[in-house]
Short mmCIF file of all heavy atoms in Angstrom, two decimals:
data_model
loop_
_atom_site.label_atom_id
_atom_site.label_comp_id
_atom_site.label_asym_id
_atom_site.label_seq_id
_atom_site.Cartn_x
_atom_site.Cartn_y
_atom_site.Cartn_z
N ALA A 159 0.84 -1.17 0.08
CA ALA A 159 0.06 0.02 -0.02
C ALA A 159 0.96 1.32 0.00
O ALA A 159 1.96 1.14 0.41
CB ALA A 159 -0.90 0.00 1.18
N THR A 160 0.33 2.31 -0.56
CA THR A 160 1.03 3.55 -0.44
C THR A 160 0.50 4.44 0.55
O THR A 160 -0.79 4.69 0.69
CB THR A 160 1.00 4.24 -1.88
OG1 THR A 160 1.44 3.48 -2.84
CG2 THR A 160 1.68 5.65 -1.78
N LEU A 161 1.37 5.06 1.49
CA LEU A 161 0.90 6.00 2.48
C LEU A 161 1.14 7.35 2.05
O LEU A 161 2.30 7.65 1.58
CB LEU A 161 1.61 5.73 3.71
CG LEU A 161 1.44 4.35 4.31
CD1 LEU A 161 2.25 4.09 5.65
CD2 LEU A 161 -0.04 3.94 4.65
N TYR A 162 0.24 8.20 2.19
CA TYR A 162 0.23 9.66 1.62
C TYR A 162 0.31 10.65 2.73
O TYR A 162 0.02 10.51 3.93
CB TYR A 162 -0.89 9.95 0.69
CG TYR A 162 -1.06 9.00 -0.48
CD1 TYR A 162 -2.02 8.02 -0.53
CD2 TYR A 162 -0.21 9.08 -1.59
CE1 TYR A 162 -2.14 7.10 -1.54
CE2 TYR A 162 -0.33 8.33 -2.65
CZ TYR A 162 -1.34 7.27 -2.72
OH TYR A 162 -1.46 6.45 -3.76
N ASN A 163 0.96 11.82 2.38
CA ASN A 163 0.88 12.96 3.22
C ASN A 163 1.55 12.68 4.63
O ASN A 163 1.02 13.14 5.66
CB ASN A 163 -0.61 13.43 3.51
CG ASN A 163 -0.63 14.91 3.74
OD1 ASN A 163 0.18 15.70 3.39
ND2 ASN A 163 -1.70 15.41 4.39
N LEU A 164 2.71 12.02 4.55
CA LEU A 164 3.41 11.72 5.76
C LEU A 164 4.46 12.85 6.18
O LEU A 164 4.76 13.71 5.36
CB LEU A 164 4.33 10.49 5.60
CG LEU A 164 3.58 9.16 5.17
CD1 LEU A 164 4.50 8.03 5.11
CD2 LEU A 164 2.43 8.84 6.24
N ILE A 165 4.72 12.87 7.43
CA ILE A 165 5.80 13.77 7.95
C ILE A 165 7.18 13.01 7.94
O ILE A 165 7.16 11.91 8.56
CB ILE A 165 5.38 14.25 9.39
CG1 ILE A 165 4.09 14.91 9.37
CG2 ILE A 165 6.44 15.15 9.98
CD1 ILE A 165 3.41 14.94 10.81
N GLN A 166 8.09 13.57 7.44
CA GLN A 166 9.46 12.99 7.49
C GLN A 166 10.10 13.68 8.67
O GLN A 166 10.17 14.89 8.58
CB GLN A 166 10.28 13.05 6.18
CG GLN A 166 11.60 12.49 6.22
CD GLN A 166 12.38 12.66 5.00
OE1 GLN A 166 11.85 12.48 3.84
NE2 GLN A 166 13.58 13.10 5.05
N THR A 167 10.84 12.91 9.51
CA THR A 167 11.56 13.49 10.67
C THR A 167 12.91 12.92 10.81
O THR A 167 13.12 11.76 10.36
CB THR A 167 10.61 13.25 11.94
OG1 THR A 167 11.40 13.72 13.03
CG2 THR A 167 10.33 11.85 12.12
N SER A 168 13.77 13.69 11.34
CA SER A 168 15.05 13.14 11.67
C SER A 168 15.19 12.57 13.08
O SER A 168 16.32 12.08 13.41
CB SER A 168 16.19 14.31 11.58
OG SER A 168 15.88 15.35 12.66
N ALA A 169 14.10 12.66 13.80
CA ALA A 169 14.00 11.97 15.12
C ALA A 169 14.33 10.42 14.94
O ALA A 169 13.66 9.80 14.19
CB ALA A 169 12.79 12.18 15.88
N PRO A 170 15.34 9.84 15.60
CA PRO A 170 15.65 8.41 15.38
C PRO A 170 14.39 7.53 15.69
O PRO A 170 13.82 7.79 16.78
CB PRO A 170 16.86 8.16 16.29
CG PRO A 170 17.47 9.47 16.41
CD PRO A 170 16.35 10.52 16.50
N ILE A 171 14.08 6.67 14.79
CA ILE A 171 12.90 5.71 15.02
C ILE A 171 13.52 4.47 15.13
O ILE A 171 14.31 3.87 14.28
CB ILE A 171 11.87 5.84 13.84
CG1 ILE A 171 11.56 7.22 13.56
CG2 ILE A 171 10.74 4.91 14.01
CD1 ILE A 171 10.73 7.86 14.64
N ASN A 172 13.08 3.73 16.28
CA ASN A 172 13.62 2.39 16.37
C ASN A 172 12.51 1.31 16.42
O ASN A 172 11.29 1.67 16.68
CB ASN A 172 14.42 2.37 17.86
CG ASN A 172 15.62 3.13 17.80
OD1 ASN A 172 16.53 2.95 17.02
ND2 ASN A 172 15.56 4.26 18.60
N PRO A 173 12.81 0.04 16.23
CA PRO A 173 11.87 -1.00 16.35
C PRO A 173 11.13 -0.86 17.80
O PRO A 173 11.76 -0.75 18.72
CB PRO A 173 12.63 -2.27 16.26
CG PRO A 173 13.75 -1.97 15.42
CD PRO A 173 14.09 -0.62 15.82
N GLY A 174 9.81 -0.96 17.73
CA GLY A 174 9.06 -0.76 18.91
C GLY A 174 8.43 0.60 19.06
O GLY A 174 7.48 0.83 19.89
N ASP A 175 8.96 1.61 18.30
CA ASP A 175 8.43 2.93 18.40
C ASP A 175 7.10 3.16 17.64
O ASP A 175 6.41 4.07 17.73
CB ASP A 175 9.45 3.93 17.82
CG ASP A 175 10.51 4.24 18.82
OD1 ASP A 175 10.24 4.12 20.07
OD2 ASP A 175 11.69 4.52 18.41
N SER A 176 6.83 2.00 16.65
CA SER A 176 5.69 2.17 15.83
C SER A 176 4.44 2.31 16.58
O SER A 176 4.17 1.73 17.55
CB SER A 176 5.60 0.94 14.90
OG SER A 176 6.59 0.86 13.96
N GLY A 177 3.57 3.31 16.13
CA GLY A 177 2.34 3.62 16.85
C GLY A 177 2.34 4.68 17.99
O GLY A 177 1.41 5.19 18.34
N GLY A 178 3.71 5.08 18.23
CA GLY A 178 3.73 6.02 19.30
C GLY A 178 3.52 7.44 18.72
O GLY A 178 3.61 7.62 17.56
N PRO A 179 3.41 8.49 19.60
CA PRO A 179 3.13 9.87 19.17
C PRO A 179 4.37 10.60 18.76
O PRO A 179 5.44 10.46 19.40
CB PRO A 179 2.49 10.40 20.43
CG PRO A 179 3.18 9.88 21.54
CD PRO A 179 3.33 8.35 21.15
N LEU A 180 4.18 11.34 17.69
CA LEU A 180 5.24 12.37 17.32
C LEU A 180 4.64 13.67 17.82
O LEU A 180 3.54 14.03 17.50
CB LEU A 180 5.45 12.39 15.89
CG LEU A 180 6.52 13.31 15.29
CD1 LEU A 180 7.94 12.69 15.50
CD2 LEU A 180 6.32 13.65 13.85
N VAL A 181 5.37 14.36 18.66
CA VAL A 181 4.82 15.61 19.32
C VAL A 181 5.61 16.77 19.00
O VAL A 181 6.78 16.73 18.66
CB VAL A 181 4.74 15.37 20.87
CG1 VAL A 181 3.80 14.23 21.22
CG2 VAL A 181 6.10 15.15 21.47
N ASP A 182 4.96 17.97 19.05
CA ASP A 182 5.58 19.18 18.79
C ASP A 182 6.22 19.86 20.08
O ASP A 182 6.11 19.17 21.21
CB ASP A 182 4.64 20.23 18.02
CG ASP A 182 3.42 20.51 18.84
OD1 ASP A 182 3.44 20.34 20.12
OD2 ASP A 182 2.41 21.09 18.27
N SER A 183 6.66 21.04 19.91
CA SER A 183 7.28 21.61 21.20
C SER A 183 6.37 22.07 22.19
O SER A 183 6.74 22.45 23.33
CB SER A 183 8.03 22.88 20.61
OG SER A 183 7.28 23.81 20.04
N LEU A 184 5.03 22.00 21.88
CA LEU A 184 3.90 22.20 22.86
C LEU A 184 3.54 20.95 23.63
O LEU A 184 2.75 20.97 24.51
CB LEU A 184 2.82 22.88 22.28
CG LEU A 184 2.99 24.30 21.64
CD1 LEU A 184 1.72 24.74 21.02
CD2 LEU A 184 3.42 25.33 22.74
N GLY A 185 4.16 19.79 23.18
CA GLY A 185 3.67 18.45 23.74
C GLY A 185 2.43 18.01 23.24
O GLY A 185 1.73 17.21 23.86
N GLU A 186 2.09 18.59 22.05
CA GLU A 186 0.73 18.09 21.49
C GLU A 186 1.08 17.11 20.30
O GLU A 186 2.11 17.22 19.53
CB GLU A 186 0.06 19.41 20.80
CG GLU A 186 -0.32 20.30 21.85
CD GLU A 186 -1.01 21.55 21.27
OE1 GLU A 186 -0.91 21.82 19.98
OE2 GLU A 186 -1.53 22.32 22.09
N VAL A 187 0.16 16.06 20.11
CA VAL A 187 0.42 15.09 19.15
C VAL A 187 0.19 15.61 17.76
O VAL A 187 -0.99 16.03 17.40
CB VAL A 187 -0.42 13.75 19.46
CG1 VAL A 187 -0.32 12.68 18.29
CG2 VAL A 187 -0.11 13.17 20.81
N VAL A 188 1.18 15.59 16.95
CA VAL A 188 0.93 16.06 15.53
C VAL A 188 1.09 14.91 14.47
O VAL A 188 0.95 15.04 13.20
CB VAL A 188 1.99 17.19 15.15
CG1 VAL A 188 1.70 18.46 15.88
CG2 VAL A 188 3.39 16.74 15.50
N GLY A 189 1.51 13.71 14.97
CA GLY A 189 1.68 12.61 14.13
C GLY A 189 1.84 11.22 14.78
O GLY A 189 1.92 11.22 16.17
N ILE A 190 1.77 10.13 14.08
CA ILE A 190 1.79 8.84 14.54
C ILE A 190 2.95 8.14 13.91
O ILE A 190 2.96 7.91 12.69
CB ILE A 190 0.52 7.97 14.32
CG1 ILE A 190 -0.60 8.82 14.95
CG2 ILE A 190 0.66 6.75 14.88
CD1 ILE A 190 -1.95 8.45 14.37
#
């Protein structure tokens, strides 16, 4: 499948992180 409109980040992602929140500087969830 193709996933669209994703956020690319330099934050290191490791096995087990999948499904966790990506948060901004306010501590608000902006991505998964």
Side-chain angles (χ1 to χ4, degrees):
T160 300
L161 302 177
Y162 301 103
N163 207 24
L164 301 180
I165 303 163
Q166 180 181 317
T167 176
S168 65
I171 307 298
N172 296 295
D175 284 330
S176 290
L180 187 75
V181 299
D182 60 17
S183 58
L184 298 175
E186 298 175 348
V187 175
V188 291
I190 303 157

